[in-house]
Amino acid sequence: MDEMTLKALAKINIGLDVTGTRPDGYHLVRMIMQTVHIYDLVTVKKSTTPGISMTTNMSFLPVDEDNLCVKAAKLLADEFDLESGTAIHLNKRIPVAAGMAGGSSDAAAVLFGMNRIYGLGLSKKQLMERGVKIGADIPYCLMRGTALAEGIGEVLTPLPDMMRCPVLIAKPAISVSTKYVYEHLDALENPQHPDIDAMMEDIKNQDLYALGSHMGNILEGVTIEKYPVIQQIKDVMKENGAVVSMMSGSGPTVFGFFDDEEVLQRAKRAVEDSKLANRVQCTTIFQP
């Protein structure tokens, strides 16, 4: 096998809490991650040209070591002294800078693909140990599914599969700096902490409405203050039948969970008609 094309799946945070700060400045988190059926396509193949090369369908994306895909490929190429070159092509479909771990998922796909085509024999756990060196979300993107993430996001505990439900995704035409959000988090006077333990019990019980009542993202307090459009999109989803609507990660993507496909489609049209988002799509919960 000299070539593989892989689906790099997006994630949403269905619960995100910050519990403290490490001495190096990184924030400690406690969050529940969930994969959804939105994906990039990543092709990894052996090349007769030495080194790492990358192409993409998005002209504004870097194709050097500023891209996590190239960093991931170089990590394995250097460690295993690979003689063949590696060519990567990224067909980008996940919204960029959206709080959906698109870049991390792409890098995870590169690690997985290179492990296969070069026969490196690394286990998923060993790939995760390498992935965290270049991005805290990469271990989760290798694991996928429903998981509790702690530490800086790299300490993962698999959870029971979340209930399948229709999901609406909407991204406004803004980009959010994760660094800005975390830097301003400590200034919040009364941050709203989600009940992560209750959420885990709700998932175990497959109770979507109870889950919706306990969900929360502590970062919304910073991001929504700076970008009110996020709250406006949440409101439109709720007004049109979402069981719950929330921002993913540091934003700006908003997602809504629904218990009925027809209601989801009506909400999609309402969000589109509002002109608040430049990307609106329906998807579903991914279960490995």
Side-chain angles (χ1 to χ4, degrees):
M1 186 190 303
D2 291 337
E3 179 177 333
M4 285 189 80
T5 296
L6 302 132
K7 290 181 178 179
L9 293 160
K11 67 84 185 167
I12 53 176
N13 302 90
I14 64 174
L16 196 164
D17 197 10
V18 174
T19 59
T21 308
R22 298 197 317 189
D24 61 6
Y26 279 96
H27 284 78
L28 296 168
V29 297
R30 194 162 187 257
M31 54 192 178
I32 297 179
M33 313 270 266
Q34 177 60 53
T35 318
V36 293
H37 278 284
I38 298 173
Y39 56 86
D40 295 339
L41 289 173
V42 180
T43 300
V44 183
K45 65 179 178 179
K46 292 181 182 178
S47 170
T48 55
T49 305
I52 312 297
S53 63
M54 182 176 176
T55 56
T56 176
N57 64 323
M58 296 288 189
S59 60
F60 61 86
L61 291 177
V63 290
D64 55 15
E65 281 198 52
D66 286 334
N67 193 296
L68 288 177
C69 287
V70 176
K71 285 185 178 179
K74 190 173 187 306
L75 186 77
L76 293 185
D78 290 349
E79 178 180 354
F80 291 91
D81 197 20
L82 299 178
E83 294 182 2
S84 297
T86 301
I88 301 163
H89 179 71
L90 170 62
N91 186 340
K92 193 73 182 164
R93 299 176 175 186
I94 301 170
V96 177
M100 299 184 77
S104 294
S105 192
D106 298 338
V110 169
L111 293 174
F112 185 91
M114 287 183 67
N115 186 45
R116 286 290 182 90
I117 65 175
Y118 289 108
L120 303 181
L122 297 171
S123 67
K124 184 184 287 188
K125 181 174 182 292
Q126 289 171 320
L127 288 174
M128 290 164 68
E129 288 168 350
R130 286 157 175 79
V132 74
K133 296 175 183 177
I134 54 176
D137 280 342
I138 294 176
Y140 169 74
C141 292
L142 284 158
M143 173 187 282
R144 308 204 292 198
T146 312
L148 174 69
E150 297 174 288
I152 59 170
E154 87 290 10
V155 181
L156 299 170
T157 305
L159 298 176
D161 289 340
M162 185 179 150
M163 60 290 286
R164 289 188 186 275
C165 65
V167 183
L168 184 59
I169 302 285
K171 181 186 180 292
I174 56 174
S175 293
V176 173
S177 164
T178 299
K179 184 172 182 287
Y180 171 89
V181 174
Y182 277 99
E183 283 177 348
H184 288 76
L185 179 63
D186 295 337
L188 291 181
E189 290 186 6
N190 294 299
Q192 298 298 305
H193 294 272
D195 193 338
I196 301 295
D197 290 328
M199 289 178 62
M200 290 192 288
E201 190 66 22
D202 299 332
I203 292 169
K204 180 181 175 183
N205 295 332
Q206 297 288 284
D207 189 333
L208 181 61
Y209 279 85
L211 178 65
S213 71
H214 293 129
M215 282 169 55
N217 180 347
I218 195 172
L219 302 182
E220 284 189 344
V222 176
T223 312
I224 288 175
E225 182 177 353
K226 187 171 177 63
Y227 303 104
V229 66
I230 294 169
Q231 183 63 52
Q232 293 170 340
I233 295 171
K234 287 179 59 179
D235 291 343
V236 172
M237 287 191 187
K238 286 288 288 179
E239 289 162 5
N240 286 275
V243 174
V244 62
S245 180
M246 200 175 86
M247 182 182 81
S248 181
S250 55
T253 297
V254 175
F255 66 90
F257 289 158
F258 293 78
D259 65 358
D260 182 271
E261 184 66 35
E262 287 187 12
V263 176
L264 170 82
Q265 293 299 331
R266 288 200 299 271
K268 179 176 184 286
R269 290 191 293 271
V271 175
E272 289 171 338
D273 291 345
S274 74
K275 308 296 186 186
L276 295 169
N278 66 344
R279 177 83 176 264
V280 185
Q281 66 189 106
C282 303
T283 186
T284 55
I285 296 295
F286 170 82
Q287 295 177 349

